[in-house]
Amino acid sequence: MVTKLPKVPVVVVGMGWAGGIVSAELTKAGISVVGLERGKDRTTADYAMGHDELRYQHRQELMQDLSKETITYRNTVSGKALPMRHYGTFIVGDGVGGAGSHWNGQTYRFLPYDFEIRTKTIERYGIEKIPAWMEGLNDWGITYDEMEPYYDTFEKMAGISGETVELWGKRTNPYPTPPLVKTQLMKEFEKAATSFGYKPFVIPAANLSESYTNPDGISRGACQYCAYCENFGCEYGAKGDPAVTVIPVAKQTGKLDLRTHSNVLELTKSGGKADGVIYVDMLTGEKFEQPADVVVVASYVFNNSRLLLNSGIGTPYDPKTGKGTIGKNYCYQVTAGGSQLFFEDREFNLYGGAGALGIEIAEYMGDNFDHAEVDFLHGAGIRSTQYGDRPIAVNRVPAGTPAWGAEFKEKSIKYANSNFPVKTQGASLPHKENYLDLDPEFKDEFGYPLLRMTYEYTDNDRAMGKYMSAITRKFAEEIGADIIDTNEVQAPFNVNKDGNTHNTGGVIMGTDPEKSALNTYLQMWEAENVFVLGASAFPHNSCFNPTGTLGALSYRAAEGIQKYLKEGGLLVKA
Amino acid sequence: MSEQEKKESVLDKRSSRRTFIKNSGLTVGGVVLGGALGSLLIKDDKSTTHNTDTQNHAKTPIANPNIALMFFTPNQYQITQAAVERIFPEDANGPGAKELNAAVYIDHQLAGPWGSNVKDYRLGAFYKAEENQGPQTKLLRKDLFLAGLDSLNKYSNDQYKADFKELEATQQDEVLLAFSEDKVELYGKVSSSQFFSLLRTLTIEGVYADPMYGGNNEMVGWSMRKYPGSRMQYVAEIQDEKFIELEPQSLNSHMGH
Ligand SMILES: Cc1cc2nc3c(=O)[nH]c(=O)nc-3n(C[C@H](O)[C@H](O)[C@H](O)COP(=O)(O)OP(=O)(O)OC[C@H]3O[C@@H](n4cnc5c(N)ncnc54)[C@H](O)[C@@H]3O)c2cc1C
Ligand code: SF4
């Protein structure tokens, strides 16, 4: 039995960054919002026993419960997808704050090149530079200059700490707080980078470099470099987390009806619109129907595609014909080409650090270097980071060391404080056979099909990884490491091993309803009262972590929703 | 306290515990088990008088009540102790996984929700996985571990005519190597490397997780690698050019704030 509830103006599915931002903006404007979140409510008090590596990092305390739902995975279109039964590459968020509670906080803007990638690539290199399999590579329908004010708003809300980088798009304002401190490891990188003529910068961070009060009046303390950041919540509130920024603001308006343990199963529809959502109370099992004028889907990349597909909203993407849009242009992040440095007689204070603490160069990002002579597009950030090396997770040993036994013990202890990586973080461009759809066999605990991911690294990724490996090697040699292990080859994607949760695409934005699911307000072409928020809207992934950009787009979507509530109709003409 | 002094004081405590163990004669693999000790005393108690029990207790040094078995039989516990010690052996740096109570840690983990895979996806059919699809086995971690222990013994007997825990260290290494390389039939279609990988993961966790979980005895796992455990901040340390060694602190130090 499903209990039908009274209609509301806006229902938001998911209370992470995307859902939190849109809830804060709408409720501040006086609009009532029902926020549905499958997990529990969270505040800073939840993190009092936060420095527990086992519980948070290895038993995934803050992450979604895979016994209820997961994704299935296969490398190629002809393979059989199987469920990711345990963690796992993707450590998806759960509960108020979403993955924004346990993220690192590296907060970037994408490059002007990203937003007009097709046009700019053709301008500089000609159409031949884009391989046939990458035909999904498209402009986003919005320019960097149009995005700039939204980035600015997101950065001020979260209090991003950083320094202006010359090779990125122009800023109207400096970062709201100065960059984080430089550690010895970062100084080593800096010295090497400067000697090559590069201009290193400290990574922009949502770990506050100093105490800060944002335009909403939220005050937070400075980061203590406590090293329990990535995978953990911040006991100081120093990490920008929706649960300590936008959600309290929305709560304070009195206009947010936050319902936790509320798992949305599907959207209901009639005509070309959604009527509302059906959700289940995860504690009692009761089912409800919540009608709404506007449905905001902000349930992370995976469930954004899955909910639409399970509800029959939008046209599913077909990799054979290239037709349809839902599930299209799934992209990831490429991290091949790193070098691992080991030192015989130097020790660094690696036990300390923060989730976004690091240093990087921009010279090999996007189109900041000439691609005429290379066989790939876009690029990578070359970087060293200091998150705080925790002892269960981090046991780096030189290549060739056994994974256990006397030699393993000796080397893992010897190098515990005497190593660091020079890494890459590279862009991921669309391949027509990398996509998301519904699994034909596996179901969630309520009987709805799981999301199926078909994904493999591309020729672009492999060529880029190889190219970047020469640069990280050059850094390692200049820094003077005693042992250098360089990874030149991008291994096949492995759903239990690869190391980040930077998924993008599936419900992408653009200018053409044949090629994209959303317009630039993240409004669905095929269902005008449905707005789909998150990195799912990115037509490709840049060489950056995604959240700065999805945060900026959420502010733009909030603007669009207000306009839609007043005027109705599609906000952009196709 | 200097690093050296600290190690010595840990050793002192260990040797006094050993003395007690030897005297009581009630041990499972070198560690006192509160439960076993208690039940025997109670048995004694019935045949003698109440006073003996009280006197016995009064003489007993305070043992760590966390050291008791929730899951293993004493024999399974001893095989585990022998195996973890080969994964992370005692050496010049300090004690191995056995002394660090990694086997106690493993016992407690397998007894809990993680041992029964409660947060894992377990619906649908279990097919054979391709290389990159992650393990697809229906066997629960706790059952996989026990099957692994049985196989360790069976394989040791086949190869060396003795149980695993009776073998020389180098023979134990040979056995574990064979397991890690998938050379041993385990249970149904389950590969021995799956068990080995579980054993290795649990050993590292047992050496380095917060001591409240039962391993990382006296935080020596941490101090061996100069890891300070869970402290509230490192603002000064991370900016220092020199390495700064701090004494480890456990989560217990966060209580009562
Ligand atoms: C360990 C880690 C480190 C990261 N580090 C960085 C970083 O340094 N920089 C960066 O830019 N990004 C980083 N990311 C990525 C970043 O966390 C995400 O991009 C961001 O949090 C996504 O925000 P979101 O609102 O789209 O989704 P989420 O934060 O995932 O929020 C979605 C919410 O929806 C809820 N939900 C899902 N399905 C349903 C349903 N059916 N019904 C009801 N509720 C539902 C979920 O429980 C969740 O709370 C990291 C991610 C991880 C896991
Ligand atoms: S490193 Fe800084 S921001 Fe991260 S959890 Fe610790 S104090 Fe908070």
Side-chain angles (χ1 to χ4, degrees), chain A residues 409, chain B residues 3 6-18 21 29-32 62-68 77 81 84-85 88 93-106 108 202-225 227 247-250:
Chain A
K409 181 186 177 192
Chain B
E3 198 54 36
K6 213 163 53 208
K7 274 182 193 148
E8 273 165 13
S9 79
V10 171
L11 281 174
D12 281 346
K13 276 184 219 154
R14 275 192 275 142
S15 56
S16 68
R17 211 186 292 140
R18 279 217 190 91
I21 290 160
V31 178
V32 184
I62 300 165
N64 176 357
N66 204 273
I67 299 175
Y77 174 66
Q81 280 190 310
V84 298
E85 183 64 14
F88 196 87
N93 288 299
K98 180 176 173 183
E99 290 287 343
L100 292 170
N101 289 343
V104 174
Y105 166 85
I106 294 175
H108 293 7
L202 281 166
T203 305
I204 301 300
E205 288 175 358
V207 166
Y208 292 130
D210 192 278
M212 74 174 167
Y213 290 103
N216 189 9
N217 191 21
E218 315 259 3
M219 297 184 278
V220 176
W222 287 343
S223 52
M224 271 192 289
R225 62 190 281 156
Y227 185 70
E247 258 206 60
Q249 276 180 8
S250 70

Side-chain angles (χ1 to χ4, degrees), chain A residues 51-52 59-60 73 80 83 85 224 228 236 347 349 351 394-395 403 405 409 417 441 443 493 496, chain B residues 87 89 91 94-95 119 121 125 127 132-134 136 200 205 213 225-227 231-232 237 242 244:
Chain A
H51 292 198
D52 182 345
R59 301 293 180 262
Q60 292 87 16
Y73 170 74
K80 178 171 177 60
R85 293 196 177 270
Q224 304 298 309
Y228 285 78
Y236 296 101
E347 285 181 301
N349 294 307
Y351 50 75
V394 184
N395 283 287
K409 181 186 177 192
N417 304 294
E441 178 173 343
K443 308 266 193 289
F493 181 81
N496 274 113
Chain B
I87 305 284
D91 66 0
K119 276 179 85 175
Y121 182 79
Y127 296 96
N132 301 306
Q133 292 181 307
Q136 301 284 330
R200 183 198 178 270
E205 288 175 358
Y213 290 103
R225 62 190 281 156
K226 303 177 193 163
Y227 185 70
R231 286 170 171 261
M232 294 306 283
E237 290 82 0
K242 289 188 299 296
I244 298 172

Side-chain angles (χ1 to χ4, degrees), chain A residues 23-32 253 255 562:
Chain A
S23 299
E25 291 306 293
L26 297 181
T27 54
K28 281 195 286 179
I31 300 162
S32 294
T253 62
K255 294 266 176 196
Q562 292 179 60

Side-chain angles (χ1 to χ4, degrees), chain A residues 13-18 36-38 91 93-95 97-100 102-106 230-231 262-264 298-300 303 501-502 534 545-547 550:
Chain A
V13 185
M15 281 287 146
W17 272 126
L36 300 176
E37 167 54 51
R38 68 179 169 192
I91 40 182
D94 189 273
H102 70 262
W103 72 320
N104 293 49
Q106 301 167 16
E230 174 186 49
N231 294 294
S262 300
N263 188 31
V264 174
S299 57
Y300 192 62
N303 270 351
T501 312
H502 300 169
N545 313 55
T547 308
L550 81 86

